[in-house]
């Protein structure tokens, strides 16, 4: 019959749902496995492949593949299969050593590992280091920041400020004022969150200044 969806229905057992939700929240598993768990959970909610593809930034074909793999093989279907071809020249222990070194050590005289530096340290080729990092979602050269507000009235203030941008009062002058620090010594107020499999190293946005030179600037948001 026309109009009947050929997408395979996904019904989860309680134990499967618990494991998939743990996969989807994990900061240690490979990023690809996390996305596959999210695909299956979305499918179990009754979402179509098109909706899941848009939400995960993947193709409909990829979504259909992992949806079908789970229906036919369960959780085991979400793992990559071994492929035929030339045997690997690097064993699992060396790959694990590379990953652990990337996550748990720092190079001497530098803040993060580079492909060249890690290759020299491990004795592997630069292309091998790049390939392993890409597989496990490791990006030592990148960093994200986060900020936790301690203001009890943060939500109310946020609404007031955003309201000025979206709907300023008539004949009002709305200025965006910011500080442009040129030279400063910073100390973060929270411990750094280390890089892991599939996510970046993170540092808190909050800091304590130990000396700074600052330029203040104001921008009229109406005309720039």
């Amino acid at each position: 019959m026309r109009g009947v969806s050929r997408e395979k229905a996904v019904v989860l057992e309680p134990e499967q749902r618990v494991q998939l939700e743990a996969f989807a929240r994990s900061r240690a598993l490979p990023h690809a496995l996390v996305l596959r768990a999210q695909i299956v959970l979305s499918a179990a909610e009754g979402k179509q492949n098109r909706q899941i593809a848009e939400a995960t930034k993947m193709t409909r074909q990829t979504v259909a593949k992992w949806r079908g793999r789970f229906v036919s093989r369960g959780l085991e279907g979400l793992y990559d299969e071994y492929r035929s071809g030339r045997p690997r020249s690097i064993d699992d222990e060396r790959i694990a050593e590379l990953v652990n070194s990337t996550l748990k050590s720092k190079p001497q005289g530098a803040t993060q590992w580079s492909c060249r530096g890690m290759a020299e340290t491990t004795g592997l080729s630069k292309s091998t280091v790049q390939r392993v990092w890409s597989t496990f979602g490791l990006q030592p050269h990148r960093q994200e920041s986060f900020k936790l507000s301690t203001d009890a009235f943060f939500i109310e203030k946020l609404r007031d400020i955003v309201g000025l941008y979206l709907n300023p009062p008539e004949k009002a002058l709305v200025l965006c004022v910011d500080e442009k620090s040129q030279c400063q010594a910073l100390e973060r107020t929270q411990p750094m969150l280390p890089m892991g499999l599939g996510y970046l190293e993170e540092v808190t946005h909050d800091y304590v200044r130990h000396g700074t030179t600052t330029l203040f600037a104001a921008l009229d948001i109406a005309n720039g």
Side-chain angles (χ1 to χ4, degrees), residues 36-206:
R36 293 165 195 171
Q38 293 172 353
I39 288 173
V40 175
L41 288 171
S42 297
E45 294 175 357
K47 294 182 179 179
Q48 299 179 351
N49 291 347
R50 173 181 55 80
Q51 297 172 300
I52 301 173
E54 291 175 355
T56 58
K57 302 296 189 294
M58 304 176 75
T59 65
R60 294 175 64 178
Q61 291 79 6
T62 300
V63 171
K65 169 187 174 181
W66 295 109
R67 182 178 192 147
R69 285 270 294 265
F70 179 82
V71 171
S72 60
R73 297 170 53 186
L75 289 171
E76 292 184 359
L78 301 184
Y79 292 91
D80 290 315
E81 297 176 325
Y82 290 106
R83 299 180 181 179
S84 60
R86 186 177 65 181
R88 287 188 301 160
S89 59
I90 305 173
D91 57 30
D92 291 340
E93 290 185 2
R94 296 192 69 187
I95 293 178
E97 180 183 355
L98 168 59
V99 172
N100 287 331
S101 296
T102 305
L103 294 175
K104 299 180 180 180
S105 67
K106 294 287 185 182
Q108 185 174 1
T111 58
Q112 71 275 328
W113 286 106
S114 65
C115 283
R116 187 181 304 276
M118 181 58 73
E120 293 176 353
T121 300
T122 59
L124 301 172
S125 68
K126 181 180 175 182
S127 60
T128 298
V129 174
Q130 288 178 321
R131 187 165 58 251
V132 172
W133 280 0
S134 176
T135 300
F136 287 92
L138 298 173
Q139 302 180 63
H141 63 289
R142 296 185 59 196
Q143 188 180 76
E144 288 184 342
S145 63
F146 64 92
K147 179 176 177 62
L148 301 176
S149 177
T150 58
D151 191 337
F153 300 98
F154 174 74
I155 298 299
E156 290 79 2
K157 294 178 180 178
L158 175 65
R159 289 172 177 166
D160 290 340
I161 297 300
V162 173
L164 288 175
Y165 279 79
L166 297 179
N167 187 25
E170 187 177 355
K171 297 182 180 181
L173 175 64
V174 181
L175 298 176
C176 176
V177 181
D178 197 6
E179 55 178 349
K180 305 298 179 183
S181 301
Q182 296 177 338
C183 181
Q184 54 186 332
L186 304 182
E187 179 184 1
R188 301 292 172 177
T189 59
Q190 298 291 334
M192 180 186 68
L193 300 180
M195 172 182 56
L197 303 178
Y199 60 92
L200 305 180
E201 175 184 274
E202 294 187 18
V203 296
T204 175
H205 189 74
D206 296 318

Side-chain angles (χ1 to χ4, degrees), residues 11-21 41 70 74-75:
V11 180
L12 300 180
E13 299 291 338
E15 293 183 358
Q16 290 178 325
R17 180 175 294 278
V18 170
Q19 293 185 46
L20 286 169
E21 289 177 346
L41 288 171
F70 179 82
L75 289 171

